[in-house]
Amino acid sequence: MNARLTAKSSIIGFLFVSSNSNSGYGLPPADTSVWLLDLLANISTYFVHLERRFDPFFRPAFDALFRQLLTNLTNSLINLQRKNEGMELAEERIQPDEETHLDEIIADMGNQMRRLWKPGDFQRCGNTKTHGIVRGEFIVRDDLPEHMRRGIFVEPRSYKAWVRFSGPGPYITPDIDDVGFMSISLKLMGVPGPKLLDDEKFTQDMFGVSPPTFVTCDTTSNANLQYWSYRNAQIYHFLNFNQPHILDLIMQSLWIKTQSSPLESQYFSCVPYLLGEGQAMQYSFWSRRKKRTRVPRLPFRPPDNYLRDAMVATLSQEEVEFDVLLQVQTDPHLMPIENNGVFWPTRRSPRIPAAVIRIPKQKFDSSEQLDFPRVLSFNPWHCISEHRPLGNQSRARLRLYKELSTLRQTVNGVKHYEPTGDEVFPS
């Protein structure tokens, strides 16, 4: 199960697979070349889809009573397996074979893009389906503690923002058939100062996903996940006799679910960033909206794009706000930099309100605006040095996101565009 591409083949991996279909629309069956593994993977997918039809009838009560308790318990079991490596606060440490694993990840994800999509319609390999990209404003609070006033948070002010809400990847499926995971990507504009990735001059990109820990703990684990993702059998990354990731699966399962609306969730950075020199943080986005949109037609099949429909209905009637919370690293072992599968405990460091994202009433579902992300490139290294991404998966994202974005836009025949916030689309 751990057969891997060699480093040499990884480097030229984009050459291996040619596109002949758009099988990424929908969920392709497992393709491991072992019929029994394919059968078991497809059966597991069937039961996940079945559970999603009934999830909203019991999940709110389960989450209120048990989710945080079970999250803490799972996190404790994860930490029991970890060795205290004596790291300092905000310290990074290069991992063994980090570049080799990154080559493997890029090769597998690039080949999967070629396998799933036709030229001219290449989609992102992760956070693939766009539920909507909306105008917003990022407003820095005036009551942030002094030690947290660093970078974009140094003073009260506001930034124009484009906010992209998306589903998981690498496929584009009806919303009820995805794994119950959502993501948010922010592109703040008008941010002064040199950027660590200088193909954009005035932007700061921010990211979040609905679970509070990343699906893989490091690049070694991520390379294994991409190996199985290429074969449409991600379950075998977690249920693997050689290197099982069962606790990671449990942690993700506690937070993925049948979603009601991208505007009604919380999103976590999962990976750390600098908050000024010598200080690390994670950030999160929390919707202030208390009302929950009913998922239509359950337990029967809802509309394929019901999450976008929920966004359209809400933003036609009201504005939506998210609180932006910062959590400063105070324990280098229990709040690690190099392991993103560990939940940073709030008892060690509470989340502090730092900013508000205001999304005004708007119409955003024209085909032109929904296509806008095709020319955009989101990368955590579109940032000022005070917020440099930290850890091995963040280091990997620099080249990973850049190379896959270049591949996608080149094959689609579009040019990378740095937005200003003044873009206009048909209503």
Side-chain angles (χ1 to χ4, degrees), residues 281-299:
M281 67 164 176
Q282 288 190 7
Y283 54 75
S284 53
F285 310 98
W286 296 77
S287 175
R288 290 181 173 180
R289 194 165 196 265
K290 302 303 180 185
K291 182 179 179 181
R292 292 294 177 261
T293 303
R294 185 181 66 85
V295 181
R297 302 179 189 168
L298 291 180

Side-chain angles (χ1 to χ4, degrees), residues 102-122:
L102 175 56
D103 288 337
E104 294 170 351
I105 293 168
I106 292 174
D108 279 341
M109 294 184 80
N111 279 335
Q112 187 167 42
M113 290 167 71
R114 292 183 180 273
R115 187 184 198 188
L116 294 176
W117 310 108
K118 288 182 177 180
D121 195 25
F122 265 38

